[in-house]
């Protein structure tokens, strides 16, 4: 049902990870300035290369499946595009981001001819290759972003971009680069607009809410889901009048969300357990917990009781600190391992406990009555 993996014989936190096209190799960042490339050999992982061009902690990795290029971004305000040479080693090319704060997230577009980088500079850098000068350049999306961009995702048409930020807003922008793209067709979000024009804006909460941690377009691009630090799940549809459906949960804050079918999303975060929710157009409902080993309720109340017990009894035994779940700390990254957003069959998660876990969604949810994945 599940596969558990660690790398390098230690349990250093994994900031993020990304797979190559056939899932034979993985790129991970062990919570520092490096990116490690591993190849799977049976049940073992062999270290192939260490990408150490960044000076500070790597925040984002994305591996383009068709062009086989890796893009990374880091707190050092830089991004690199890595290409593999004939010797199998990865060579970096610096990207001109033109930002004065940390780069926080990065994502290739579906056609892999450009990528977007979010940052603490209150802007998004949309980067593309300028063949005349043989380098990667960027154009900025600025207004009306008022704080750090924490998460990005591309619309399947390769033009629209959704961004979540710490100003409690989720916005859909046009990321059209006329120098490299043909005139795009209209979408449910509206007609074609020039780079940087906003097509929709959603508040995470009318009462303040929390920072937006993760955003995701659905497979058809007509829906957007996001999660934030208010432990709620939100889904909005195109032409919904900037109104979203919200479900407040009892769990600790979510850090990741991803569509796994037209009606289902997977969310996870500080509760250490991947959860599947379904959306029927009017309400969001919990459908399944992937971690069947969990016995304790992973809610905010449960966590508070654990800490109160530790404080009251001054105990640090394993019985108090070990969670009855596979992940032992917050899950910070989710990737689709098999399938796509329209029909994912397996997903991978990594987190602060240094583990990579591959979950078989179909097997784990087969016994759930009424679940439509």
């Amino acid at each position: 049902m599940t596969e558990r993996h660690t790398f390098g014989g230690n349990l250093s936190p994994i900031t993020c990870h990304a797979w190559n096209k056939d899932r034979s190799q993985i790129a991970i960042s062990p919570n520092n300035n490096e990116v490690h490339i591993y190849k799977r050999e049976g049940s073992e992982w062999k270290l192939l290369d260490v990408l150490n061009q960044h000076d500070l902690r790597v925040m984002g990795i994305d591996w383009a499946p068709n062009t086989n290029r890796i893009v990374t971004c880091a707190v050092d305000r830089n991004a690199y595009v890595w290409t593999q040479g004939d010797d199998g080693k990865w060579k970096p090319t610096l990207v001109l981001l033109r930002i004065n704060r940390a780069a926080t997230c990065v994502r290739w577009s579906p056609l892999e001819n450009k990528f977007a980088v979010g940052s603490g500079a209150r802007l998004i850098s949309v980067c593309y290759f300028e063949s005349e000068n043989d380098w990667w350049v960027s154009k900025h999306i600025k207004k009306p972003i008022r704080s750090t961009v924490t998460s990005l995702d591309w619309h399947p048409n390769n033009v629209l971009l959704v961004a979540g930020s710490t100003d409690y807003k989720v916005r859909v922008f046009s990321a059209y680069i006329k120098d490299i793209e043909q005139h795009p067709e209209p979408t449910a979000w509206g007609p074609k607009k020039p780079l940087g024009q906003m097509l929709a804006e959603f508040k995470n909460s009318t009462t303040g809410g929390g920072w937006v941690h993760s955003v995701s377009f659905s497979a058809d691009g007509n829906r957007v889901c996001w999660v934030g630090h208010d432990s709620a799940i939100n889904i909005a549809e195109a032409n919904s009048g900037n109104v979203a459906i919200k479900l407040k949960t009892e769990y600790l804050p979510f850090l990741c969300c991803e569509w796994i079918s037209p009606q289902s999303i997977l969310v996870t975060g500080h509760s250490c357990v991947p959860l599947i929710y379904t959306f029927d157009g009017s309400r969001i409902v919990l459908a399944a917990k992937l971690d069947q080993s969990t016995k304790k309720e992973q809610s905010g109340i449960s966590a508070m009781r654990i800490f109160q017990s530790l404080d009251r009894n001054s105990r640090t035994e394993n019985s108090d600190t070990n969670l009855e779940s596979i992940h032992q700390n917050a899950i910070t990254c989710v990737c689709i391992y098999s399938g796509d957003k329209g029909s994912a069959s397996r997903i991978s998660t990594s987190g602060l406990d240094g583990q990579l876990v591959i979950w078989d969604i179909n097997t784990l949810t087969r016994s759930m009555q009424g679940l439509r994945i």
Side-chain angles (χ1 to χ4, degrees):
M1 289 186 181
T2 58
E3 300 178 26
R4 302 171 62 175
H5 303 279
T6 57
F7 303 89
N10 58 60
L11 293 177
S12 298
I14 298 176
T15 305
C16 48
H17 73 274
W19 296 94
N20 69 341
K21 184 175 183 178
D22 63 5
R23 303 309 193 248
S24 62
Q25 296 181 27
I26 188 173
I28 68 166
S29 174
N31 203 38
N32 57 23
N33 67 311
E34 298 178 344
V35 174
H36 295 179
I37 309 295
Y38 286 92
K39 181 179 181 179
R40 189 169 186 176
E41 296 181 347
S43 59
E44 303 295 327
W45 294 91
K46 178 183 178 181
L47 181 64
L48 297 181
D49 205 352
V50 176
L51 316 185
N52 54 8
Q53 195 71 22
H54 286 288
D55 296 325
L56 298 174
R57 184 160 66 101
V58 173
M59 297 295 291
I61 308 170
D62 201 13
W63 199 327
N66 298 315
T67 57
N68 196 39
R69 294 182 298 205
I70 298 174
V71 62
T72 61
C73 70
V75 179
D76 61 6
R77 301 169 295 172
N78 290 326
Y80 290 94
V81 173
W82 302 80
T83 54
Q84 195 170 27
D86 296 335
D87 59 354
K89 296 296 182 180
W90 292 87
K91 309 296 190 299
T93 301
L94 180 65
V95 182
L96 301 177
L97 293 180
R98 299 184 292 119
I99 58 176
N100 59 5
R101 295 290 187 274
T104 55
C105 51
V106 64
R107 190 66 71 93
W108 282 107
S109 68
L111 295 182
E112 302 174 17
N113 59 346
K114 57 185 177 179
F115 58 88
V117 180
S119 71
R122 300 185 299 178
L123 58 83
I124 301 167
S125 297
V126 181
C127 309
Y128 62 99
F129 189 74
E130 195 174 74
S131 56
E132 293 181 1
N133 297 309
D134 194 31
W135 60 7
W136 290 87
V137 297
S138 65
K139 293 187 177 182
H140 287 170
I141 298 175
K142 294 183 178 180
K143 295 181 179 180
I145 303 171
R146 292 300 179 193
S147 192
T148 300
V149 177
T150 56
S151 180
L152 298 166
D153 196 26
W154 286 93
H155 190 279
N157 74 345
N158 204 68
V159 173
L160 301 186
L161 190 67
V162 62
S165 59
T166 56
D167 60 4
Y168 316 129
K169 299 289 182 64
V170 171
R171 301 178 176 93
V172 178
F173 292 103
S174 169
Y176 172 61
I177 305 292
K178 64 179 181 180
D179 298 338
I180 63 171
E181 295 181 288
Q182 297 180 350
H183 189 84
E185 296 293 330
T187 68
W189 296 95
K192 171 255 178 182
K193 290 188 177 183
L195 176 76
Q197 292 294 307
M198 188 175 69
L199 287 83
E201 180 181 74
F202 304 96
K203 294 182 179 179
N204 191 38
S205 174
T206 56
T207 58
W211 292 359
V212 178
H213 289 310
S214 182
V215 295
S216 179
F217 266 120
S218 60
D220 61 5
N222 293 333
R223 290 175 174 175
V224 170
C225 71
W226 71 88
V227 293
H229 212 69
D230 57 353
S231 301
I233 300 168
N234 308 266
I235 296 177
E237 297 189 79
N239 302 321
S240 62
N242 291 347
V243 176
I245 305 297
K246 176 184 285 285
L247 174 66
K248 294 184 178 180
T249 74
E250 62 180 0
Y251 298 100
L252 297 177
F254 299 119
L255 298 175
C256 312
C257 67
E258 189 68 272
W259 289 93
I260 57 173
S261 84
Q263 297 85 26
S264 306
I265 59 174
L266 183 139
V267 300
T268 190
H270 286 287
S271 289
C272 312
V273 177
L275 307 170
I276 294 177
Y277 285 82
T278 57
F279 179 61
D280 62 4
S282 60
R283 64 187 186 126
I284 306 168
V285 179
L286 175 64
K289 296 182 180 181
L290 288 192
D291 194 342
Q292 302 298 328
S293 65
T294 302
K295 297 178 181 179
K296 295 181 180 179
E297 183 182 17
Q298 300 293 323
S299 67
I301 298 175
S302 177
M304 182 179 296
R305 287 174 180 168
I306 292 173
F307 287 117
Q308 287 174 343
S309 174
L310 289 171
D311 181 61
R312 182 170 56 252
N313 301 316
S314 299
R315 292 184 300 181
T316 58
E317 293 89 349
N318 289 336
S319 60
D320 285 322
T321 58
N322 283 353
L323 299 177
E324 294 189 25
S325 60
I326 293 177
H327 276 289
Q328 293 294 297
N329 208 327
I331 298 172
T332 57
C333 184
V334 170
C335 293
I336 294 177
Y337 185 83
S338 298
D340 53 31
K341 289 184 177 183
S343 180
S345 58
R346 287 195 289 177
I347 59 102
S348 61
T349 59
S350 62
L352 301 183
D353 59 355
Q355 290 191 97
L356 174 83
V357 182
I358 300 174
W359 309 82
D360 190 327
I361 297 175
N362 294 336
T363 301
L364 292 171
T365 59
R366 192 168 294 153
S367 61
M368 302 296 294
Q369 298 296 323
L371 179 63
R372 298 179 61 185
I373 298 297

